[in-house]
């Protein structure tokens, strides 16, 4: 317990976390050291931490390293007691080399980092569906890596396998080869290379099948969680279960942790970094942020550059302006980060699509007719009619063209919108109410 004279202090706490012990340092709100001590990472140790820091006075903030790893349990204990916990990054390596490193010094540096305002991040809550996604993704990612290693090892063994064994699997697809190997029943002597190779190949094939089943189960569970927690996120073009789950994991359960879309862009590593010098004015890619989230945004960019007409037009426009492909993709990532942030914080459903196909059939038009006029692939319009892809701009053009064709035929019949189950009467001069809003957006 601290000295009675220190009871009136307003204090800031720094904690250096480890697997077996946490080192706690206490300073005043002006940075004056008051004391430090190590505590075990047990329930009793966490109670002792609370008694130790509250004995010095009113706790303003607690700066802690590793709030998502070694300090996760203590973070939850402190937050339940109403203590504000701030996530502190590891100290700079140059500073460590100049001033040394001990658990006590690291704890005091964590407290000073909070006081100076260098550390302001709020830890992830880890108490909701997003935490379930994170755990499930960790299992799925390891299974995918193990499956890749298994098939690579199978193909490597086949390269140097005896001719009779190698020729047995030549020309087969991976799925067929794995099935045949898993059903094989090799026999022979342990000293026979052909028998031992066949036996190992069968074992690897069975492992591949088990891992495939595990990956499929994890994917189904990811989809179920996303459908109940953030169903509209996957309506964005290029966003599937894997990408959506990664972006949500980066965002966290407590949405107030990320205050605006600029912070989300920095968190995902797509905030532009000034790199100007002299007469050159430019920005470069950010090397910070969550690299897995950055990879997810990169995947969205690649998909849209291949299938999204607006993205294609944007790429052509910026290329004519002299931008490199890397600079164009950097800009696209920033725009997509803004779109994803708005969809997470304020979900917007996709516009209804169920009237497109009935209207086209009523006009006696084929997909090829529409595709020729709109300069799109018939398969793209087919996916749009069935709700398999989201492209608000193309949907607007498609519906407007259909209504324009209907103008020469007469009033439209009542059609049923399969997206929401509601019947809506539409005439040639009466477009859906959301059309002007979409046009303005």
């Amino acid at each position: 317990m601290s000295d009675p004279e220190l009871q009136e202090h307003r204090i800031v706490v720094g904690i250096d976390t480890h697997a077996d012990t946490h080192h706690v340092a206490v300073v005043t709100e002006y940075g004056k050291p008051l004391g430090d001590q190590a505590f075990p990472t047990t329930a009793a140790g966490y109670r002792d931490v609370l008694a130790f820091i509250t004995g010095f006075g009113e706790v303003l903030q607690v700066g802690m390293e590793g709030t998502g790893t070694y300090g996760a349990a203590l973070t939850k204990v402190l937050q339940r007691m109403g203590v504000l916990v701030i996530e502190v990054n590891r100290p700079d390596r140059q500073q460590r080399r100049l001033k040394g490193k001990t658990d006590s010094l690291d704890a005091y540096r964590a407290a000073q980092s909070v006081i100076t305002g260098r550390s302001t991040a709020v830890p992830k809550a880890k108490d909701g569906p997003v935490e379930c996604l994170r755990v499930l993704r960790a299992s799925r990612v390891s299974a995918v890596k193990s499956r890749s290693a298994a098939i690579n090892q199978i193909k490597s063994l086949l390269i140097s396998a005896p001719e009779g064994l190698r020729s047995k699997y030549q020309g087969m697809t991976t799925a067929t080869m794995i099935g045949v190997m898993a059903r094989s029943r090799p026999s022979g002597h342990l000293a026979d290379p052909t028998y031992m190779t066949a036996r190992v190949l069968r074992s690897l094939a069975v492992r591949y099948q088990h891992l495939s089943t595990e990956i499929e189960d994890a994917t189904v569970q990811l989809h179920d969680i996303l459908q109940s927690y953030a169903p509209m996120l996957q309506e964005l073009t290029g966003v599937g279960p894997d990408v959506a789950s990664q972006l949500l994991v980066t965002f966290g359960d407590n949405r107030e942790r990320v205050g605006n879309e600029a912070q989300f862009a920095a968190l995902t590593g797509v905030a532009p970094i000034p790199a100007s010098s002299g007469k050159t004015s430019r920005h470069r890619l950010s090397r910070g942020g969550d690299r897995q989230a950055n990879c997810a945004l990169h995947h969205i960019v690649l998909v849209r550059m291949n299938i999204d007409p607006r993205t294609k037009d944007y790429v052509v426009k910026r290329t004519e302006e002299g931008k490199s492909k890397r600079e164009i993709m950097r800009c696209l990532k920033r725009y997509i980060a803004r779109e994803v942030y708005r969809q997470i914080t304020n979900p917007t459903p996709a516009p209804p699509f169920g009237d497109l196909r009935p209207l086209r059939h009523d006009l006696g038009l084929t997909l090829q007719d529409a595709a020729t006029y709109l300069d799109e692939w018939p398969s793209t319009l087919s996916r749009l009619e069935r709700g398999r892809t989201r492209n608000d701009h193309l949907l607007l053009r498609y519906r407007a063209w259909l209504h324009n064709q209907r103008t020469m035929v007469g009033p439209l019949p009542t059609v049923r919108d399969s997206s929401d189950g509601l019947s809506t009467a539409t005439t040639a001069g009466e477009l859906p109410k959301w059309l002007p809003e979409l046009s303005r957006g």
Side-chain angles (χ1 to χ4, degrees), residues 25 67 86 94 131 146 167 175 179 210 224-225 276 285 312-313 324 329 363:
T67 57
I86 301 298
Q94 182 179 6
E131 178 64 9
S146 298
S167 61
H210 286 318
D224 292 342
I225 296 175
S276 302
L285 288 168
K312 291 180 180 180
D313 294 341
S324 66
M329 294 183 73
L363 294 171

Side-chain angles (χ1 to χ4, degrees), residues 382-400:
S382 177
R383 290 196 302 271
L384 192 68
E385 290 182 347
R386 291 175 292 150
R388 298 295 180 86
T389 185
R390 178 173 179 178
N391 188 330
D392 295 353
H393 180 68
L394 177 59
L395 187 146
L396 174 63
R397 292 176 55 217
Y398 189 14
R399 181 179 277 114

Side-chain angles (χ1 to χ4, degrees), residues 7 24 160 298 349:
Q7 295 295 326
V24 181
S160 58
H298 186 81

Side-chain angles (χ1 to χ4, degrees), residues 132-409:
C132 299
L133 289 174
R134 186 189 69 82
V135 174
L136 195 57
R137 279 184 56 83
S139 172
R140 184 179 181 277
V141 168
S142 65
V144 170
K145 290 181 179 179
S146 298
R147 186 177 68 172
S148 298
I151 189 60
N152 290 337
Q153 194 170 5
I154 288 174
K155 293 181 178 181
S156 177
L157 286 174
L158 283 175
I159 292 175
S160 58
E163 176 60 29
L165 189 60
R166 186 173 67 252
S167 61
K168 179 180 178 181
Y169 300 108
Q170 279 184 344
M172 291 185 180
T173 63
T174 298
T176 303
M177 180 179 65
I178 292 297
V180 173
M181 283 183 181
R183 293 191 298 269
S184 65
R185 295 293 183 269
S187 59
H189 193 271
L190 293 178
D192 181 8
T194 302
Y195 164 69
M196 185 52 62
T197 303
R199 183 172 176 174
V200 171
L201 288 174
R202 178 183 180 276
S203 175
L204 290 172
V206 171
R207 181 191 304 176
Y208 183 95
Q209 289 181 333
H210 286 318
L211 290 170
S212 296
T213 302
E214 183 179 341
I215 293 169
E216 291 173 1
D217 292 342
T219 303
V220 171
Q221 294 175 54
L222 279 176
H223 180 75
D224 292 342
I225 296 175
L226 288 170
Q227 284 297 107
S228 61
Y229 180 69
M232 297 181 188
L233 183 57
Q234 296 183 78
E235 293 184 357
L236 298 179
T237 304
V239 178
D242 191 58
V243 170
S245 59
Q246 177 58 61
L247 293 173
L248 287 172
V249 167
T250 301
F251 203 92
D253 277 300
N254 41 334
R255 297 186 175 183
E256 68 280 0
R257 176 172 173 266
V258 183
N260 52 58
E261 54 92 10
Q263 292 181 2
F264 181 70
L267 185 62
T268 55
V270 297
I273 305 298
S276 302
S277 178
K279 297 181 180 180
T280 302
S281 178
R282 59 180 292 270
H283 291 78
R284 67 167 177 85
L285 288 168
S286 171
R287 307 299 178 189
D290 188 334
R291 304 318 297 171
Q292 295 300 319
N294 189 277
C295 180
L297 294 177
H298 186 81
H299 176 83
I300 299 175
V301 169
L302 293 179
V303 171
R304 293 191 178 187
M305 288 176 69
N306 286 326
I307 68 173
D308 185 36
R310 289 177 299 171
T311 305
K312 291 180 180 180
D313 294 341
Y314 177 83
V315 171
V316 172
K317 175 184 175 183
R318 299 309 294 268
T319 302
E320 292 174 351
E321 294 175 357
K323 295 289 186 181
S324 66
K325 184 177 180 180
R326 178 175 293 184
E327 291 175 319
I328 294 172
M329 294 183 73
R330 175 187 63 77
C331 296
L332 286 172
K333 283 184 182 180
R334 182 63 181 86
Y335 296 149
I336 292 172
R338 180 182 298 115
E339 184 181 7
V340 169
Y341 174 81
R342 292 174 178 174
Q343 187 72 336
I344 292 176
T345 56
N346 186 24
T348 303
F353 57 86
D355 61 323
L356 295 177
R357 176 166 290 185
L359 179 55
R360 179 173 61 80
H361 288 170
D362 181 69
L363 294 171
L365 299 172
T366 65
L367 278 173
Q368 186 61 51
D369 295 332
T372 301
Y373 178 82
L374 299 173
D375 194 22
E376 296 288 344
W377 291 101
S379 58
T380 301
L381 298 182
S382 177
R383 290 196 302 271
L384 192 68
E385 290 182 347
R386 291 175 292 150
R388 298 295 180 86
T389 185
R390 178 173 179 178
N391 188 330
D392 295 353
H393 180 68
L394 177 59
L395 187 146
L396 174 63
R397 292 176 55 217
Y398 189 14
R399 181 179 277 114
W401 178 73
L402 290 174
H403 281 285
N404 185 48
Q405 297 297 310
R406 187 61 184 178
T407 304
M408 298 178 291
V409 178

